[in-house]
Amino acid sequence: MNKHQRQLLELIADPVRFISKLKIIDKNGKLITLTPNGEQVRIIEALEQGEDTLILKGRQIGSSTIVSAYLFWKAYTSTEPLTIAILSHKLASSKHLLEIHKTFYHNLPQFLKRPLSVENTTEMKFKDSGASIIAVSAEGKGGLRSFTCSYLQISEYAFAPNPDELKATALSALNNGQLVIESTANHFNDALHQEIMRSERGDAKWNYLFFKWFDHKDYQEELPANEEIEWSNVELDLKEKFSLTDEQLYWRRLKLSKIGNLHKFQREYPATIEDAYSIAGNVYLSREDFEEIEIINVEPHTANVFDEPDPNDRYAIGVDVSAGVGRDYSVIYVLSKTTHQPVLIWRSNEVSPVYLAERIVDFANDYNKALVLVESNNFGNVVLNEMSHMGYRKIWKKDGKDWITTLKSKTAMFENLKDEIVTGYIHLLDNIVYSELRAITVNDRGNIELANQDGAHSDNAVALALGYMCLQSIRIKDVPYLPHWIKTKNAHKTRQTGGIAIASKRRYN
């Protein structure tokens, strides 16, 4: 093997080097060389791991282009007749991405070109290997269900009219292959956001990528000469929080003044996932309602203890019950009367109502015989009966009746929870319930609608709301050491001004 052949093989074997030889048409209609930026290199590295990949993208990153370039490299270097599919709800969108692949091919250096056996509006196929790239849609007759493929790309998933159909079509076609979904945010609780939340809960295995605006090296602006910049408190907070340079901060200021709207800027150029989903719409609780609340990331399938039981405190427990068959979750929240904060969270979608009753009683006994409110539905009745058989009697009732969720009572419990949030009594929540609370909407009739995610109807939010309804029925013990300001407000909510340290001594499985 001569030096030229060795160099050629090295070029083909390296996706970044190979992609750097490709040509694209820029936004001005000019043919330019595709030089991967830092974010695009990270996408290539993630795709190289072979896992299903989910990309929440900001503007101008070029994720669709780089995913297409990587998949083109896969087809080009394959010695097998694999199929790479580009899927969207509308065939026109898939064809548009296929045109990017054609641009790659027709502008290859001559020494890299290999003959095609098929090239039309929906397919291109390499003659020697039989590897093909196809454009398909979920709306066509048969659509992708007529094929199997090894790699599949869905672009702008959050904007699909029927994302569930799109995803089902993709999964039916993939033959143990790699699924790549990349999209900008559309609205809170859109299809992309639901996938992100499933990943955070541990219900889906995604190689998840999110790109902050300041990761992009071009998003900085030279400061004006002979002019001292006065930064606002908000800008200084951002600088400290994200370790921004003055040049990045100045770029942000100029871009924000051009856009003219903070929420639009945050959506186009997010620093956090919350920024990407900052457009409020008809949400029940806005982002601003949670500004003073610390959001803590928790493990989704175990108990998370924030504070150990205090013998001088009293506790309430709210429970939402599921069937325990791997779909929606059974969730337990333990709340402190003294601090008004969650002290323990437990969730599982694999425990039976009978076993759930045992867990509730265990937690209730640990936390000073806590008062328990269980929603009295079909499975809830099983739990309540089992707790009664176990001899636990501290169960919430009103006029001798258990809690039944109706339109009226659902409104009451969420209005109570909303009051706790917006008036500042709650200052600590976990990331899973926070996402569910932000996804609650109000319909045209003014009724509260809970988000449906994979068959689960805001189980964590319901359990938390029930817990705070239960907390209303508890009075603080009148013990000598309590501060005067607590003693004089036994019938009122109390707020802890400091944070709660997560306990490290004890965990429940």
Side-chain angles (χ1 to χ4, degrees):
M1 181 184 299
N2 60 39
K3 180 180 178 181
H4 177 74
Q5 290 173 323
R6 186 171 61 254
Q7 289 176 339
L8 180 60
L9 289 176
E10 289 174 353
L11 170 66
I12 293 173
D14 186 334
V16 176
R17 288 184 60 196
F18 178 86
I19 288 170
S20 298
K21 296 290 183 182
L22 301 179
K23 302 285 187 180
I24 58 171
I25 298 174
D26 69 8
K27 60 184 179 181
N28 297 317
K30 293 182 179 180
L31 190 68
I32 62 171
T33 300
L34 174 54
T35 303
N37 58 40
E39 296 97 319
Q40 290 174 327
V41 171
R42 283 176 57 193
I43 291 173
I44 294 171
E45 292 171 346
L47 294 174
E48 276 281 80
Q49 297 175 27
E51 301 173 352
D52 290 346
T53 304
L54 184 69
I55 304 170
L56 171 57
K57 60 182 183 179
R59 305 293 181 182
Q60 310 304 322
I61 288 176
S63 64
S64 297
T65 299
I66 207 66
V67 170
S68 297
Y70 176 82
L71 295 178
F72 177 81
W73 172 75
K74 275 293 185 182
Y76 181 92
T77 57
S78 175
T79 58
E80 303 292 334
L82 60 78
T83 299
I84 291 171
I86 306 164
L87 175 66
S88 70
H89 188 75
K90 296 290 184 180
L91 185 58
S93 300
S94 299
K95 287 182 176 180
H96 172 73
L97 288 178
L98 181 61
E99 287 299 319
I100 296 177
H101 287 264
K102 292 180 181 179
T103 300
F104 294 152
Y105 174 78
H106 288 295
N107 293 281
L108 282 171
Q110 196 60 40
F111 69 92
L112 287 177
K113 275 197 175 178
R114 292 164 43 206
L116 299 176
S117 60
V118 176
E119 183 182 4
N120 55 44
T121 59
T122 59
E123 183 180 7
M124 59 182 293
K125 179 185 290 188
F126 290 99
K127 185 176 181 178
D128 49 4
S129 66
S132 63
I133 305 168
I134 61 173
V136 291
S137 73
E139 64 180 359
K141 295 180 179 179
L144 194 58
R145 299 181 192 276
S146 304
F147 300 88
T148 58
C149 56
S150 299
Y151 299 88
L152 193 147
Q153 176 186 7
I154 301 177
S155 185
E156 295 299 3
Y157 179 64
F159 295 85
N162 194 335
D164 290 339
E165 179 186 356
L166 201 64
K167 183 181 174 184
T169 302
L171 294 177
S172 70
L174 273 171
N175 184 21
N176 295 319
Q178 185 177 19
L179 175 61
V180 183
I181 294 179
E182 42 91 15
S183 180
T184 46
N186 186 7
H187 59 80
F188 205 93
N189 199 44
D190 63 25
L192 176 69
H193 189 257
Q194 290 190 28
E195 291 298 330
I196 294 170
M197 293 304 101
R198 291 181 68 238
S199 178
E200 288 195 353
R201 293 197 306 267
D203 294 337
K205 293 183 178 179
W206 287 106
N207 190 349
Y208 168 55
L209 302 176
F210 168 64
F211 297 100
K212 307 172 182 65
W213 70 263
F214 45 83
D215 291 334
H216 194 68
K217 65 180 182 64
D218 292 335
Y219 292 167
Q220 49 189 322
E221 190 72 33
E222 185 177 347
L223 274 64
N226 303 320
E227 181 181 338
E228 186 174 351
I229 301 293
E230 291 188 12
W231 304 112
S232 68
N233 290 334
V234 171
E235 290 170 325
L236 291 174
D237 288 344
L238 290 171
K239 182 178 182 179
E240 180 179 0
K241 182 177 181 180
F242 298 114
S243 300
L244 302 180
T245 66
D246 287 345
E247 289 75 16
Q248 289 173 318
L249 212 57
Y250 190 55
W251 176 91
R252 178 187 179 275
R253 176 182 288 188
L254 294 178
K255 183 62 68 172
L256 179 57
S257 65
K258 184 178 293 186
I259 293 175
N261 182 285
L262 176 61
H263 289 315
K264 288 182 179 179
F265 171 84
Q266 290 172 330
R267 181 176 174 181
E268 296 292 312
Y269 303 97
T272 64
I273 295 174
E274 271 304 295
D275 285 348
Y277 285 97
S278 61
I279 302 300
N282 61 336
V283 294
Y284 181 61
L285 288 159
S286 70
R287 181 185 182 187
E288 289 73 19
D289 292 331
F290 296 88
E291 284 185 344
E292 301 301 321
I293 296 178
E294 181 182 5
I295 307 300
I296 295 180
N297 290 329
V298 297
E299 292 295 326
H301 296 289
T302 185
N304 292 267
V305 181
F306 296 151
D307 208 10
E308 298 288 346
D310 181 343
N312 295 300
D313 201 353
R314 302 190 68 185
Y315 298 92
I317 294 179
V319 184
D320 187 62
V321 184
S322 77
V325 293
R327 291 287 291 174
D328 52 342
Y329 277 73
S330 291
V331 184
I332 300 171
Y333 271 91
V334 183
L335 309 174
S336 161
K337 182 64 177 181
T338 301
T339 69
H340 253 256
Q341 310 309 309
V343 294
L344 181 146
I345 309 165
W346 181 91
R347 51 171 63 86
S348 174
N349 61 353
E350 296 179 349
V351 299
S352 68
V354 171
Y355 179 72
L356 177 63
E358 296 177 9
R359 300 304 279 162
I360 295 169
V361 172
D362 284 345
F363 294 142
N365 284 327
D366 281 349
Y367 281 88
N368 305 342
K369 301 290 183 181
L371 183 65
V372 179
L373 197 166
V374 179
E375 183 180 18
S376 178
N377 55 16
N378 292 333
F379 299 118
N381 285 328
V382 175
V383 171
L384 289 167
N385 289 336
E386 187 65 23
M387 290 177 65
S388 179
H389 292 155
M390 295 171 67
Y392 197 82
R393 297 289 181 261
K394 292 202 66 177
I395 297 173
W396 182 97
K397 292 182 183 292
K398 185 175 182 179
D399 299 327
K401 297 180 180 179
D402 295 315
W403 177 277
I404 298 176
T405 301
T406 62
L407 179 61
K408 182 178 179 180
S409 64
K410 180 174 74 172
T411 300
M413 72 181 190
F414 276 106
E415 281 295 297
N416 176 65
L417 178 59
K418 183 175 183 177
D419 182 64
E420 297 273 355
I421 292 171
V422 300
T423 55
Y425 287 105
I426 298 176
H427 58 84
L428 182 146
L429 289 173
D430 66 278
N431 59 309
I432 297 175
V433 77
Y434 169 72
S435 296
E436 290 187 356
L437 291 171
R438 287 282 284 113
I440 298 173
T441 57
V442 179
N443 63 25
D444 294 338
R445 298 183 299 277
N447 296 329
I448 294 171
E449 291 189 344
L450 304 181
N452 185 351
Q453 299 178 344
D454 300 316
H457 291 78
S458 302
D459 308 310
N460 299 274
V462 169
L464 185 68
L466 290 173
Y468 277 102
M469 288 299 292
C470 185
L471 200 64
Q472 289 185 327
S473 301
I474 296 176
R475 296 179 63 85
I476 297 176
K477 289 181 180 180
D478 188 12
V479 292
Y481 84 91
L482 282 177
H484 177 72
W485 67 274
I486 291 182
K487 288 184 181 180
T488 57
K489 291 190 174 184
N490 281 349
H492 298 281
K493 303 170 208 171
T494 61
R495 181 183 181 185
Q496 182 187 41
T497 57
I500 296 177
I502 298 178
S504 58
K505 298 179 182 177
R506 179 160 54 92
R507 288 291 182 272
Y508 299 86
N509 294 319

